[in-house]
Amino acid sequence: MKLELKGIQKSFGEKKVLQDISFSAEGGGAFGLLGRNGAGKTTTIRILMGVFPPDEGEVVFDGSPIGPAPSGMGYLPEERGLYPKKKILDQLVYFARLKGMGRQDAVRAVNNWLERLDMTEYRSKRLDTLSKGNQQKIQLITALAHDPQVIILDEPFSGLDPVNAMLLKDVVKEEIARGKILLFSSHQMNYIEEFCDRIAILNQGRIALQGSLHDIRRNYVRDRLVVHAECREKIMADLGDCCTSGEKGELLIRLDSPEDKQRMMRLLTEKYNLDGIRVFEPSLNDIFVEYAGGPES
């Protein structure tokens, strides 16, 4: 399976919100759609979901343009959209039937997911009696019960404790293993790093960077070393301005050129008692800060 956005343009009045957005995501993998608030992520997702059409461009699934309200997509929104006073089973079945399922199939699928997410005991309760984390799990079922081919998760780990976060991780891995296309939108970079092999970073309605996360990291200039040592103060005093302290107590040593790394690593290991040394590789958070733009307005 392959999902493609081709040359998407969208304006609201005089404001250009999306400008030439193109990327693709394939089955059996997760794609990270990143950006600061206002960068265009939500508009992109709404076009994917058929909420409104693009001004130009198209969304294509396996070579065919996607029409409005595609039933083969499941969406977990950042803001919950369920009915707080309604019984959980009733509204989950209702949403599954809106996606084209017959009643018996919808009841069966919803009950299976309630069991999978340890929520069976709440099936007859009202949504507003549940904790924030359990409400998030119920919202997740609305995205998954109809067995969609494309699953869009917007801040899926919001409000989850570590146990429920681990449960959701397992579900995500299972859906990827089944060949589904997963599209993540999140500011929690650790989850993007864990699941996504490809990313796109939006900045003011344009794609500032996209591609394989592995390749993006490898293409960074490799002109810094990360050093762990007890004698960090001595190293800093000896090396001067080229050596700075990192957030976790490590030392960052900037080289004159990437070709100096082997020489500098040999010099450091011979002169100091080091606990570890490696070439610096940027985290996704580092990459995001660089490409996502300045302060939000």
Side-chain angles (χ1 to χ4, degrees), residues 87-221:
K87 287 184 180 180
I88 286 167
L89 179 64
D90 292 345
Q91 60 179 308
L92 287 176
V93 170
Y94 169 74
F95 281 110
R97 295 192 68 188
L98 285 179
K99 292 295 186 178
M101 299 186 79
R103 179 170 179 77
Q104 288 186 341
D105 289 339
V107 171
R108 186 181 304 112
V110 166
N111 280 325
N112 286 340
W113 276 109
L114 287 169
E115 182 177 358
R116 176 67 183 86
L117 297 178
D118 299 327
M119 296 295 290
T120 300
E121 65 183 286
Y122 302 108
R123 63 196 302 272
S124 298
K125 293 185 179 297
R126 295 187 340 186
L127 187 73
D128 60 4
T129 65
L130 272 59
S131 67
K132 182 179 179 181
N134 281 337
Q135 289 185 31
Q136 179 80 338
K137 289 160 73 175
I138 295 301
Q139 185 84 59
L140 176 65
I141 294 175
T142 68
L144 300 176
H146 60 291
D147 196 24
Q149 297 168 305
V150 179
I151 302 168
I152 302 170
L153 304 176
D154 193 352
E155 298 293 352
F157 294 93
S158 174
L160 297 183
D161 61 45
V163 173
N164 281 324
M166 185 62 67
L167 180 60
L168 178 53
K169 286 183 184 182
D170 291 340
V171 169
V172 169
K173 291 174 183 176
E174 290 166 7
E175 294 300 304
I176 291 174
R178 293 180 62 204
K180 303 294 185 70
I181 297 173
L182 267 80
L183 184 68
F184 271 92
S185 179
S186 179
H187 289 121
Q188 295 175 285
M189 298 299 154
N190 55 316
Y191 292 120
I192 298 295
E193 287 184 301
E194 183 171 354
F195 293 112
C196 297
D197 44 14
R198 296 179 59 80
I199 65 168
I201 297 177
L202 299 184
N203 184 353
Q204 297 182 356
R206 297 180 181 272
I207 293 182
L209 178 71
Q210 72 165 306
S212 159
L213 184 53
H214 175 268
D215 291 343
I216 289 170
R217 282 174 167 157
R218 294 293 299 179
N219 287 336
Y220 265 70
V221 177

Side-chain angles (χ1 to χ4, degrees), residues 227-235 238 251 265-277:
V227 172
H228 295 270
E230 292 292 332
C231 56
R232 56 195 306 277
E233 287 80 10
K234 177 172 175 51
I235 297 174
D238 290 348
L251 297 177
M265 292 173 79
R266 185 168 57 251
L267 184 153
L268 291 168
T269 52
E270 290 174 354
K271 186 173 182 180
Y272 305 102
N273 181 20
L274 305 183
D275 295 324
I277 185 170

